[in-house]
């Protein structure tokens, strides 16, 4: 039963506050990695497990969150997730060794997976069915803005205080969210008598955990050059097949695949994957592009992302109202995918002279596009679900978005690595004494250095070094242009998927329920 008045809004604020804890923590740590590495005396390879451990634990628990909410009661599970997340945050900030930090981040990821999906399920049940667009828009404020502003917040805290405070700031927010949840969120029925599908839990952990680890570590480990990546791949394939077979054959599944009978939800799983690819992939590529090529620092990069986040926030309520008035979600999502393509096209035309003002407009376009994508896509996927299906659907939908982000980051990282070698090979062919343009540039540089008092030998070495620097920068520029193009084209070619979902008015959906 939906809530009304003050109680509806206080529950909305509560669940958004709790979900923001998890969503910001997916990216807030990234900018603090060098500081943590130096403080704990860890190698770059080892410190990466601070991010990987969280992501793996998070994606394992997401599809289970609906079952856990049903077994223990959605309110109880939500409060337990807040408590564990808050305690784990304190322990992360207080960690004195890398092993401690990784273990506590895994614990934080387990609790975070329960926060995000349960928050969405509570929000959808709190609002009337005909206003599901508004509810989804409000949830989207955290889901889209959280990963975007995370690096900004993390960079500011790390520069002005110390890295443990990126974890300590969660404590007062978690305490307030716990109090409000206990006071205002309604209890839901428990189903604690059904037997636990331990085989399903084990197979889910093996399948999803192996896949997420492959995506997180594959590029840095040169993919299948390492034995453990091959082993994890086999485990992921076999685990996934056995898990699906187990869940379809047992009477009490951990993940209820019967909700896939809803065509909107089944197709929505794929569109959520594409959304995650675009959301997390673009947040990954843009900071690397700015810092490695344009010379921006972490704080400048975060500040550039912030206006786009504000643009998304401003658009969310408007989009929710449009959905409630009957504007087809497919049309709005189409506009979002097209705007995302425009964003990537604009950035793919960057040059070495590109400055902060040049990237601001594309980021604002991305902000509008993400708002047009998240709310309609999530609404389409969740509109036909009811009762316990909402929790199950929310978990699976969020898992697919998270996996889409992991696939996006992994594939774009690999693309950058491969295309960097390709473009360097092409550019280096122009460095030869038979190329008039090279000779002109080389002689200009050499004579310039000699005019500053350098010997001919030193001037020659310095001229070659200067040309090498130009090749490196041009190679990076062409490589990042490719990454933007691929991201945009994937989003553009995914538009037909939207029209596999049936057109429905939210009012009609509400009447059907």
């Amino acid at each position: 039963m939906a809530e009304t008045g003050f109680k509806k809004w206080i529950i909305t604020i509560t669940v958004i506050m709790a979900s923001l804890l998890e969503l910001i923590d997916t990216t807030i740590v990234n900018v603090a990695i060098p500081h943590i590495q130096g403080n704990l005396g860890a190698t770059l390879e080892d410190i990466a497990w601070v991010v990987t451990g969280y992501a793996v634990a998070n994606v394992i628990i997401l599809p289970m969150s609906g079952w856990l909410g049903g077994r223990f009661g959605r309110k109880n599970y939500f409060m337990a997730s807040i408590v564990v997340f808050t305690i784990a945050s304190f322990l992360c900030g207080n960690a004195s060794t890398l092993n401690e930090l990784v273990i506590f981040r895994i614990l934080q990821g387990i609790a975070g997976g329960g926060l995000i999906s349960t928050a969405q399920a509570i929000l959808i049940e709190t609002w009337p069915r005909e206003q599901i667009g508004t509810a989804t828009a409000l949830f989207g404020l955290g889901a889209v803005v959280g990963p975007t502003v995370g690096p900004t917040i993390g960079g500011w805290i790390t520069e002005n205080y110390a890295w443990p405070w990126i974890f300590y700031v969660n404590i007062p927010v978690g305490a307030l969210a716990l109090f409000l949840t206990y006071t205002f969120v309604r209890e839901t029925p428990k189903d604690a008598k059904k037997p636990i599908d331990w085989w399903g839990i084990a197979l889910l952990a093996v399948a999803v955990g192996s896949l997420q680890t492959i995506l997180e570590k594959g590029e840095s480990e040169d993919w299948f050059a390492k034995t453990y990546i091959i082993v994890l791949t086999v485990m992921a394939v076999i685990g996934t097949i056995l898990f699906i077979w187990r869940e379809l054959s047992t009477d009490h599944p951990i993940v209820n695949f019967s909700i896939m009978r809803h065509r909107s939800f089944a197709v929505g799983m794929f569109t959520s994957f594409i959304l995650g690819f675009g959301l997390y992939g673009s947040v990954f590529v843009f900071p690397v592009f700015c810092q490695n090529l344009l010379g921006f620092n972490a704080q400048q990069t975060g500040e550039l992302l912030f206006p786009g986040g504000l643009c998304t926030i401003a658009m969310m309520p408007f989009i929710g109202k449009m959905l409630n008035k009957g504007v087809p979600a497919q049309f709005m999502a189409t506009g979002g995918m097209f705007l995302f393509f425009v964003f990537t096209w604009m950035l793919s035309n960057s040059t070495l002279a590109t400055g902060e003002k040049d990237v601001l407009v594309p980021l604002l376009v991305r902000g509008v596009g993400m708002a047009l994508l998240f709310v309609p896509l999530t609404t389409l996927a969740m509109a036909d679900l009811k009762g316990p299906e909402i929790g199950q659907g929310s978990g699976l939908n969020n898992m697919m978005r998270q996996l889409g982000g992991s696939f996006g980051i992994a594939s774009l990282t690999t693309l950058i690595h491969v295309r960097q070698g390709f473009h360097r090979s092409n550019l280096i062919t122009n460095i030869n004494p038979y190329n008039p343009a090279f000779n002109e540039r080389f002689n200009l540089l050499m004579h310039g250095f000699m005019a500053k008092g350098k010997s001919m030998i030193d001037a020659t070495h310095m001229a070659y070094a200067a040309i090498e620097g130009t090749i490196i920068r041009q190679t990076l520029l062409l490589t990042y242009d490719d990454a933007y193009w691929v991201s945009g084209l994937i989003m553009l070619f995914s538009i037909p998927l939207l029209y596999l979902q049936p057109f429905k008015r939210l009012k009609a959906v509400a009447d059907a329920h």
Side-chain angles (χ1 to χ4, degrees), residues 1 19 43 71 160 170 218 247 281 313 349 378 395 415 417 426 447 480 485:
M1 181 178 176
S19 62
T43 65
R71 185 170 185 84
N160 292 280
N170 292 334
E247 297 308 278
I313 292 173
N349 290 314
T378 306
L415 175 72
H417 177 75
N426 284 344
H447 289 113
Y480 291 129
W485 262 115

Side-chain angles (χ1 to χ4, degrees), residues 278-279 281-291 293-294 296 301 304-305 308 338-367 412 474 476-488:
L279 173 62
S282 58
V283 170
F284 162 75
V285 172
F286 181 75
V288 177
F289 165 69
C290 286
Q291 294 175 45
L293 188 61
L294 302 184
F296 300 168
T301 305
L304 283 172
L305 288 166
F338 179 74
L339 286 179
F340 186 88
F341 172 76
V342 171
F343 152 73
T344 59
W345 172 75
M346 293 176 76
L347 284 185
S348 71
N349 290 314
S350 299
T351 68
L352 295 177
T354 295
E356 294 183 18
K357 293 181 180 179
D358 300 306
V359 299
L360 180 60
V361 173
L363 289 173
L364 292 176
V365 172
R366 176 189 177 276
L412 289 175
Q474 289 288 352
L476 287 174
L477 178 65
L478 293 170
T479 300
Y480 291 129
D481 286 351
D482 290 345
Y484 287 127
W485 262 115
V486 169
S487 299

Side-chain angles (χ1 to χ4, degrees), residues 411-479:
S411 58
L412 289 175
T413 302
T414 303
L415 175 72
I416 288 170
H417 177 75
V418 172
R419 296 297 289 179
Q420 196 168 334
F422 171 80
H423 287 304
R424 179 175 175 80
S425 297
N426 284 344
L427 290 173
I428 209 77
T429 59
N430 296 307
I431 309 303
N432 65 78
Y434 305 105
N435 184 345
F438 165 73
N439 288 328
E440 181 181 353
R441 180 66 175 167
F442 177 79
N443 289 327
L444 182 65
L445 288 168
M446 186 178 68
H447 289 113
F449 289 128
M450 290 176 66
K452 294 179 180 179
K454 302 296 179 182
S455 68
M456 186 173 182
I457 294 176
D458 288 342
T460 300
H461 288 313
M462 293 174 73
Y464 275 120
I467 290 174
E468 171 64 16
T470 301
I471 291 173
I472 291 173
R473 288 169 61 80
Q474 289 288 352
T475 297
L476 287 174
L477 178 65
L478 293 170
T479 300

Side-chain angles (χ1 to χ4, degrees), residues 113-140:
L115 279 177
I116 185 70
S117 294
T118 313
Q120 186 178 17
I122 291 172
L123 195 60
I124 289 174
E125 290 200 329
T126 298
W127 284 71
R129 297 296 296 186
E130 64 272 16
Q131 294 180 348
I132 189 175
T134 301
T136 304
L138 292 169
F139 177 76

